Amino acid sequence: AEGGRLLDKIRKWYYNAAGFNKLGLMRDDTLHEDDDVKEALKRLPEHLYNERVFRIKRALDLSLKHQILPKDQWVKYEEDHHYLEPYLKEVIRERHEREAWNKK
């Protein structure tokens, strides 16, 4: 139990140290857009995609101005949900399935 709490504290520290949350971004907003991520993004419901685009545009604007959001608007570790993960897992599973089929 103690090891789990320590690991959670380290995760929270690293999350805040990365700094993307100070620009209003979530972890999934920062993923490198390879082919799998691009396909997962196409499958996002429109409202999730629009929210992502808004966060990225706001972060770019803040970055250009060398500013960060007020602390009360930072994305908190507990509030950062991996909205893209289920779609990405499905895309990767389908790709692996396709690759296995093509090997036959």
Side-chain angles (χ1 to χ4, degrees):
E2 182 60 34
R5 283 187 290 215
L6 178 61
L7 189 58
D8 198 42
K9 286 182 181 183
I10 292 171
R11 284 185 183 135
K12 287 180 184 180
W13 173 84
Y14 183 78
Y15 182 85
N16 287 314
F20 58 82
N21 64 321
K22 297 172 185 166
L23 297 172
L25 294 172
M26 294 182 159
R27 183 195 69 99
D28 284 358
D29 297 334
T30 65
L31 294 176
H32 172 71
E33 289 190 21
D34 61 12
D35 291 339
D36 291 338
V37 172
K38 287 177 184 176
E39 180 59 34
L41 288 170
K42 289 178 187 175
R43 298 179 184 195
L44 274 178
E46 187 175 2
H47 74 281
L48 289 177
Y49 182 79
N50 290 340
E51 290 170 4
R52 173 190 167 88
V53 170
F54 171 79
R55 287 190 302 272
I56 291 171
K57 284 184 177 184
R58 178 179 57 186
L60 286 171
D61 184 53
L62 288 166
S63 181
L64 287 170
K65 295 176 182 176
H66 300 284
Q67 297 176 346
I68 60 172
L69 290 171
K71 192 166 184 164
D72 64 325
Q73 293 181 31
W74 293 2
V75 178
K76 293 170 188 62
Y77 175 79
E78 298 80 14
E79 296 170 354
D80 189 338
H81 61 284
H82 305 299
Y83 65 91
L84 192 59
E85 193 171 325
Y87 302 95
L88 187 55
K89 283 182 177 178
E90 181 180 331
V91 167
I92 292 169
R93 182 189 56 77
E94 289 172 1
R95 179 173 49 80
H96 288 159
E97 196 174 284
R98 197 169 36 255
E99 288 169 356
W101 178 262
N102 290 336
K103 285 182 182 177
K104 291 183 180 182

